[in-house]
Amino acid sequence: MNACPFAEQAFGAAMDALLLTSCQDDLLPAGDGVLPVRVYKGAARRKDAPVVMHLHGGAFTEGNLDSGELVSRLLADAGAVVVDVDYPTGLDQVFPTALKALDVLLQGLHKARARLSGKHAPVIVAGEEAGGNLAAALALMARDQGHRKLDGQILIGPMLNPCLATASLRQAEAGYGECRWMHGWRAYLGQCETGDHPYAAPANTSRLAGLVPALVLSSDDDPMRDEALAYARAMKRAGVDVHQSLIPGPSGWPLSLMKLPALAALQLPWARALRERLAEFLSLFPPAGGPRPQPA
């Protein structure tokens, strides 16, 4: 395991704002191969702190461990042990390639939680934009598989609906022409362009009951705002324990979530609000085996 390369670079001031005890790169088994990960441990984490598998954005076609650093640090500062994953992206990584690898990795993290945090640590999946899609799909898969190895889901401006017809996308002048999300959906879905499969486009699922507790976050100027709020409402109607928040803009989501952290960015109102919402949700999770969070 190698030390996180950013620990010694020009992020000193930003790192002071989000104190870490460790930041390490590693390779973990995932299906037929391995996936690069970066493990963040915050200075203020408790015993058996939640282990969060974090998935960066990038519209299914781009992104890497650097893209996930800002949200990973916010999660770690909020009290989690964070395993940020460099999952397969690109024009040739058609659904369900990434999802299958992440499902194996998630179950492996459940087994490894004692080493990462504690033997009773809850396991949560989190993601923003395309990573939010994968996080939501993993929660659906965990319910369907019935293995109870996932305890919660955090969806930050999730990219859930390939129709690209919401008002928030139109307000962002996206959803048509050379829109990055249209290209991303086409690359991810391949021949299945309508996104009929619920694991590919969770907004289209007809059965949401029985999912693990969810935190759904968006911002006023997030192009994914409307589909995030619609998914939160649908989960609530199905009886899922949903905690949601709309963070005041301007935020610049989702692109601002994928920038390398700097002190100025960490001091922005939306970043502070995001860290607070994450900390509130994570505090609801006792060590695994205890009672689940109660609805707000």
Side-chain angles (χ1 to χ4, degrees):
M1 184 179 277
N2 300 316
C4 174
F6 299 107
E8 303 298 333
Q9 294 184 12
F11 296 101
M15 291 178 67
D16 288 342
L18 296 177
L19 294 175
L20 301 176
T21 57
S22 66
C23 175
Q24 301 285 334
D25 286 352
D26 203 352
L27 294 171
L28 295 180
D32 296 331
V34 296
L35 289 179
V37 301
R38 184 167 293 161
V39 181
Y40 298 80
K41 295 184 178 182
R45 70 187 186 279
R46 59 174 167 80
K47 185 179 184 297
D48 292 319
V51 175
V52 177
M53 185 171 84
H54 171 247
L55 310 172
H56 61 76
F60 300 115
T61 59
E62 58 187 5
N64 51 37
L65 293 178
D66 294 351
S67 308
E69 182 167 356
L70 190 152
V71 175
S72 293
R73 287 184 178 276
L74 291 174
L75 282 162
D77 192 54
V81 173
V82 184
V83 180
D84 186 34
V85 185
D86 188 9
Y87 59 87
T89 61
L91 299 178
D92 58 337
Q93 301 295 339
V94 177
F95 168 83
T97 301
L99 196 57
K100 285 184 175 180
L102 290 171
D103 182 50
V104 175
L105 180 60
L106 179 63
Q107 297 190 49
L109 288 180
H110 185 269
K111 295 178 181 178
R113 59 188 172 149
R115 174 174 59 84
L116 291 166
S117 177
K119 65 179 181 179
H120 299 299
V123 177
I124 298 170
V125 65
E128 61 272 10
E129 199 230 33
N133 172 295
L134 294 165
L138 286 167
L140 290 168
M141 293 177 70
R143 178 204 59 193
D144 295 344
Q145 293 166 1
H147 53 54
R148 297 188 64 81
K149 293 178 180 177
L150 184 67
D151 296 280
Q153 56 180 317
I154 298 173
L155 313 179
I156 304 173
M159 187 175 167
L160 301 171
N161 194 335
C163 292
L164 300 174
T166 63
S168 58
L169 273 163
R170 290 196 300 272
Q171 289 167 4
E173 297 184 354
Y176 53 86
E178 296 302 313
C179 167
R180 67 190 299 271
W181 296 292
M182 177 178 288
H183 288 301
W185 275 116
R186 286 175 175 169
Y188 185 59
L189 296 177
Q191 298 301 314
C192 181
E193 290 193 4
T194 56
D196 290 337
H197 199 295
Y199 295 167
N204 293 339
T205 185
S206 60
R207 189 170 68 90
L208 292 169
L211 291 176
V212 292
L215 173 65
V216 182
L217 298 170
S218 189
S219 68
D220 287 337
D221 58 336
D222 179 14
M224 310 303 157
R225 180 194 67 212
D226 291 349
E227 56 199 88
L229 297 179
Y231 195 65
R233 289 193 299 268
M235 285 194 292
K236 284 183 178 180
R237 288 195 299 268
V240 179
D241 174 13
V242 178
H243 303 253
Q244 73 176 74
S245 182
L246 188 64
I247 293 174
S251 69
W253 286 16
L255 297 180
S256 62
L257 294 169
M258 293 174 267
K259 293 181 179 178
L260 287 171
L263 183 60
L266 297 173
Q267 291 176 331
L268 291 172
W270 68 259
R272 294 198 302 267
L274 176 56
R275 185 163 58 239
E276 290 170 3
R277 299 293 86 76
L278 293 172
E280 290 168 0
F281 185 67
L282 293 174
S283 71
L284 299 174
F285 287 83
R292 289 288 181 92
Q294 296 301 309

